[in-house]
Amino acid sequence: MATDEAERLRAVGLKVTAPRKAVLAALDGHGHLDADTVFERVRGELPTTSLQAVYGVLAALTGAGLLRRIEPAGSPALYERRTGDNHHHLVCTKCHTVADVDCVVGQPPCLEPADAGGFTIHTAEVTFWGLCESCRSEPAA
Amino acid sequence: MATDEAERLRAVGLKVTAPRKAVLAALDGHGHLDADTVFERVRGELPTTSLQAVYGVLAALTGAGLLRRIEPAGSPALYERRTGDNHHHLVCTKCHTVADVDCVVGQPPCLEPADAGGFTIHTAEVTFWGLCESCRSEPAA
DNA sequence: CAAGTTGTTTTGAGTGAATCAAAACAACCG
DNA sequence: CGGTTGTTTTGATTCACTCAAAACAACTTG
């Protein structure tokens, strides 16, 4: 549905613009994209869009809770459509591919530290590092 | 002990140099420092050291297992002396202060994902986000 | 302990990712 | 349809980090 994106934008009180719809569409179904890749996809159907607009849109959508932003060490920031379901990530140490994992144990936020050291915690983020299937079967670097 | 650093360098097969000893010393006791802060501290007692040397040293020591490097979203890379004990981190969403927490549940690596999705996992990294004590008592931004 | 080899540090330039700012523009309200 | 508010474009800039070549210092060997 083409208006699906417009709906979601309105629902969080954001103005409906072509770049915003295009960014939402670009991230649909596909897992984890960096700003540059989103930019390329958006350009495909909306060639006047600038990279800065994409950064602005990604920031707005992340702020509004429509997107989640993750920043695995060694990769540029990645954006994904799954939000609010407290899933976590697997990152390949070789090719930096990212996959989703569902919540590791129990209820969100999944974990409580033994001692919070005076902090008021609101989020727990878990990143698993390892080799993905295709990198494991390739000759070692 | 001034030779303590030299010992540790030799133990992992690295040449003993003044910048390396100074970097190890700069990180002693203090929790989590970025490259620039390490650079400033090293400069204090070894004024000819360049920032690039610090980057090189940090990379060498991290590679040798003498330091651990963490990269919380929104902060430059931080280095710490605790390694191999599988502890995790608390990061303040306001001031980006980092504190240590011990392993959350059971034995290292603390967690196993429900479904590894074909990945061969070797590390689990947990980051807790929240407000530190002093940021909580300050007026909100 | 002097010379050579290897690896480190300096010096200087360059990159990628992201941010900032001002002007042109478009969405939504009435 | 006109005005206000917020978005996007255009262009420059920053920050953290990396690359490369030449000068230099640590450990080894004779």
Side-chain angles (χ1 to χ4, degrees):
Chain A
M1 243 152 251
T3 41
D4 179 41
E5 280 95 27
E7 292 295 325
R8 280 199 307 252
L9 287 167
R10 251 185 289 271
V12 294
L14 288 176
K15 286 189 179 171
V16 177
T17 68
R20 286 179 177 173
K21 287 189 287 185
V23 165
L24 275 181
L27 280 160
D28 245 324
H30 309 92
H32 311 86
L33 269 46
D34 62 22
D36 227 65
T37 307
V38 172
F39 175 53
E40 278 167 31
R41 295 205 183 184
V42 168
R43 271 209 144 173
E45 57 179 73
L46 207 69
T48 64
T49 314
S50 67
L51 177 59
Q52 285 78 352
V54 170
Y55 275 109
V57 169
L58 290 170
L61 300 189
T62 303
L66 251 41
L67 294 180
R68 181 170 161 196
R69 173 188 172 127
I70 61 170
E71 236 170 292
S75 303
L78 302 174
Y79 297 84
E80 65 181 344
R81 279 285 310 278
R82 287 183 70 181
T83 60
D85 64 347
N86 197 256
H87 71 275
H88 300 300
H89 295 104
L90 292 158
V91 185
C92 178
T93 43
K94 195 169 166 197
C95 70
H96 287 134
T97 290
V98 176
D100 289 335
V101 223
D102 289 320
C103 195
V104 216
V105 293
Q107 299 301 316
C110 289
L111 308 158
E112 292 299 332
D115 172 13
F119 278 60
T120 307
I121 294 173
H122 55 73
T123 312
E125 186 185 2
V126 185
T127 306
F128 295 98
W129 296 90
L131 276 182
C132 73
E133 205 147 22
S134 55
C135 281
R136 189 163 10 117
S137 38
E138 275 171 32
Chain B
M1 244 149 252
T3 42
D4 181 41
E5 280 94 28
E7 292 295 324
R8 280 198 307 252
L9 287 167
R10 250 185 288 270
V12 295
L14 288 174
K15 284 190 180 171
V16 177
T17 68
R20 287 179 176 173
K21 287 189 286 184
V23 166
L24 275 181
L27 281 159
D28 244 324
H30 310 91
H32 311 86
L33 269 47
D34 63 21
D36 228 63
T37 307
V38 172
F39 175 52
E40 277 166 31
R41 295 206 184 182
V42 167
R43 270 209 147 174
E45 57 178 73
L46 207 68
T48 65
T49 314
S50 66
L51 177 58
Q52 286 76 353
V54 171
Y55 275 108
V57 169
L58 290 170
L61 299 188
T62 303
L66 250 40
L67 295 180
R68 180 169 160 195
R69 173 187 172 129
I70 61 170
E71 235 171 292
S75 302
L78 302 174
Y79 297 84
E80 65 182 344
R81 279 286 309 277
R82 286 182 72 181
T83 60
D85 64 349
N86 198 254
H87 71 276
H88 301 300
H89 296 103
L90 293 158
V91 185
C92 178
T93 44
K94 194 168 165 198
C95 71
H96 287 132
T97 289
V98 176
D100 289 336
V101 223
D102 288 320
C103 195
V104 216
V105 293
Q107 299 301 317
C110 290
L111 307 157
E112 292 300 331
D115 172 13
F119 277 60
T120 306
I121 294 172
H122 56 73
T123 312
E125 185 185 1
V126 185
T127 306
F128 296 98
W129 296 90
L131 276 183
C132 73
E133 205 147 23
S134 54
C135 282
R136 189 163 11 117
S137 38
E138 276 171 32

